[in-house]
Amino acid sequence: MIEKVGEFSVKVVKALNLDIIAGTAIYIGESNIKHMKEQHPGDYKKFYTRLQRIIETPDYVGINKSDNSIEMVKNFGVHVKLAVRIANDGEYYARSLYEVGKSRVENSIKRGQLKPLTNI
């Protein structure tokens, strides 16, 4: 089962200069959910219901140069990162969901790896 969980906003497309149009769908499949549950089970339980909100209104976005995934970070009192990757079929899938420390987010902003969306 593959389910649409959101779509790329104009802000995210502009901030990251993505070569896609705003409104491009983001999906999640059974293998993605399995990966999230296995790699970060506690984070999955706490934050999976907020997946759509992370996609719709991330506080920070970036591109992970190691795997070209698109990172969306939302502050819920703790920072939660969602990684979105393009699959072989050309579709985008939510792949990883986990909590990241405040200092890691701040360092990623300083290095230019994450961009705040507040001024876009």
Side-chain angles (χ1 to χ4, degrees):
M1 174 189 91
I2 295 175
E3 176 185 351
K4 181 179 172 183
V5 290
E7 51 191 46
F8 287 98
S9 70
V10 172
K11 280 185 168 189
V12 171
V13 171
K14 283 184 179 181
L16 297 177
N17 196 27
L18 298 175
D19 192 21
I20 60 173
I21 59 168
T24 297
I26 300 171
Y27 299 98
I28 194 163
E30 291 175 30
S31 65
N32 307 117
I33 292 172
K34 181 180 177 188
H35 173 80
M36 289 176 187
K37 285 180 176 179
E38 288 176 353
Q39 296 301 313
H40 306 281
D43 293 331
Y44 174 84
K45 286 179 185 176
K46 286 194 282 188
F47 302 113
Y48 184 76
T49 59
R50 298 180 182 185
L51 190 66
Q52 220 168 7
R53 187 163 170 213
I54 297 167
I55 293 168
E56 290 172 358
T57 59
D59 296 312
Y60 307 97
V61 293
I63 296 177
N64 184 325
K65 295 185 193 239
S66 68
D67 62 8
N68 286 323
S69 63
I70 297 162
E71 299 178 338
M72 299 178 181
V73 177
K74 182 75 178 169
N75 185 349
F76 294 109
V78 295
H79 292 89
V80 180
K81 181 187 284 187
L82 171 68
V84 176
R85 291 190 194 156
I86 191 165
N88 292 335
D89 63 4
E91 302 290 355
Y92 290 86
Y93 288 87
R95 177 73 177 146
S96 295
L97 177 70
Y98 55 93
E99 190 175 322
V100 291
K102 182 179 179 180
S103 62
R104 185 170 172 190
V105 171
E106 290 171 350
N107 288 336
S108 293
I109 293 167
K110 286 178 188 172
R111 288 193 304 269
Q113 293 171 320
L114 283 178
K115 299 177 181 186
L117 286 185
T118 52
N119 297 326
I120 295 175

